Amino acid sequence: MDLLLNKDFMQEFLSPIWLSIKIATISGIVVILLGTLIGRIFARKSFKGKAILETILMLPMVLPPTVVGFILIVVFGRNSIVGQAIEWLFNQPIIFTWWAAVIASIVVAFPLMYQSAKSGFQGVDLEIEEAARLDGASEWKVFLFISVPLASKALISGSILSFARALGEFGATLMFAGNIPGETQTIPTAIYIAIDSGNLNMAWMWVISIVILSFLMLLIVRVKQE
């Protein structure tokens, strides 16, 4: 109880939580938008090279997080064209910033949203969409007012799972964004450092926090699927 009343202790405890939620929220919004749009395209369109492109999009789900982190460093590092362009625009490299954590979270969470969105749109009756088109609805209206509502259960589940995945991202974030307290230290990296330094009280508090958050999100998914 004394620890909970300690201002410095609470600031140290809450900082990774708020940062993790901020990173997961921003990356979640990006993932939901991209996953929904790309999932819709891949659910309805057939084109040459589709299987290869889809496999590339799903790779972060099966690749070791360290590999994902290494690839992000290569793509966005200071020696790459992308990294140099970002540094020229913003006068600083993106690596070892909280935006790097956002990018890492987007990459690892995207496959979950994409797969859920694609499955949801594949379950939408094509005849219903076609009937809306015959009544004069544009493709965007069909998508927004027919396809999305009918696939809403899958989209909501994918959104929550993606947010949870972004919240718990560790390996790629540690490599690409680092572990700077107050800047890039998320809950998973904070737990790792706390255990490594023998600060078990703080580690337990972060573990309990992320377990509760993850449990609530998974519970919502189960309720929505019933």
Side-chain angles (χ1 to χ4, degrees), residues 68-83 176:
V68 176
F70 176 79
I71 293 173
L72 289 175
I73 290 174
V74 171
V75 174
F76 293 96
R78 304 185 72 169
N79 294 325
S80 71
I81 296 176
V82 176
F176 187 41

Side-chain angles (χ1 to χ4, degrees), residues 6-222:
N6 187 299
K7 184 178 179 180
D8 293 335
F9 179 87
M10 288 305 299
Q11 184 176 356
E12 182 184 357
F13 168 66
L14 292 174
S15 178
I17 294 177
W18 295 129
L19 183 60
S20 294
I21 293 174
K22 180 171 72 171
I23 290 170
T25 300
I26 295 173
S27 60
I29 292 171
V30 175
V31 164
I32 290 168
L33 294 175
L34 288 178
T36 300
L37 291 174
I38 297 176
R40 161 70 177 188
I41 293 171
F42 277 69
R44 289 288 183 258
K45 303 291 184 181
S46 295
F47 51 87
K48 189 175 181 181
K50 176 181 176 180
I52 294 175
L53 183 56
E54 188 171 28
T55 301
I56 293 173
L57 293 176
M58 296 297 293
L59 265 180
M61 184 178 287
V62 296
L63 285 176
T66 50
V67 174
V68 176
F70 176 79
I71 293 173
L72 289 175
I73 290 174
V74 171
V75 174
F76 293 96
R78 304 185 72 169
N79 294 325
S80 71
I81 296 176
V82 176
Q84 290 173 359
I86 291 174
E87 189 169 355
W88 179 76
L89 286 171
F90 300 103
N91 293 319
Q92 68 172 25
I94 196 169
I95 191 171
F96 299 132
T97 65
W98 70 275
W99 281 108
V102 171
I103 293 174
S105 297
I106 290 172
V107 171
V108 300
F110 174 83
L112 289 171
M113 185 64 209
Y114 164 75
Q115 192 62 41
S116 296
K118 181 185 174 185
S119 299
F121 288 127
Q122 286 178 331
V124 175
D125 193 336
L126 288 171
E127 293 183 358
I128 298 176
E129 292 181 340
E130 191 58 36
R133 293 187 184 96
L134 291 174
D135 287 338
S138 65
E139 285 299 322
W140 272 109
K141 287 185 177 180
V142 171
F143 174 69
L144 291 175
F145 300 110
I146 303 296
S147 304
V148 169
L150 291 176
S152 60
K153 282 189 176 182
L155 295 177
I156 292 172
S157 296
S159 300
I160 296 172
L161 290 173
S162 299
F163 181 87
R165 180 67 184 87
L167 189 68
E169 164 52 28
F170 172 69
T173 298
L174 184 61
M175 289 188 66
F176 187 41
N179 182 55
I180 307 171
E183 297 290 336
T184 65
Q185 187 180 68
T186 58
I187 300 176
T189 56
I191 292 171
Y192 174 79
I193 296 301
I195 294 174
D196 190 54
S197 62
N199 191 354
L200 295 183
N201 288 332
M202 187 70 84
W204 267 113
M205 290 180 66
W206 280 322
V207 167
I208 292 171
S209 299
I210 199 167
V211 167
I212 291 173
L213 288 171
S214 300
F215 175 82
L216 291 175
M217 286 184 285
L218 289 175
L219 181 62
I220 293 172
V221 171
R222 298 304 303 169

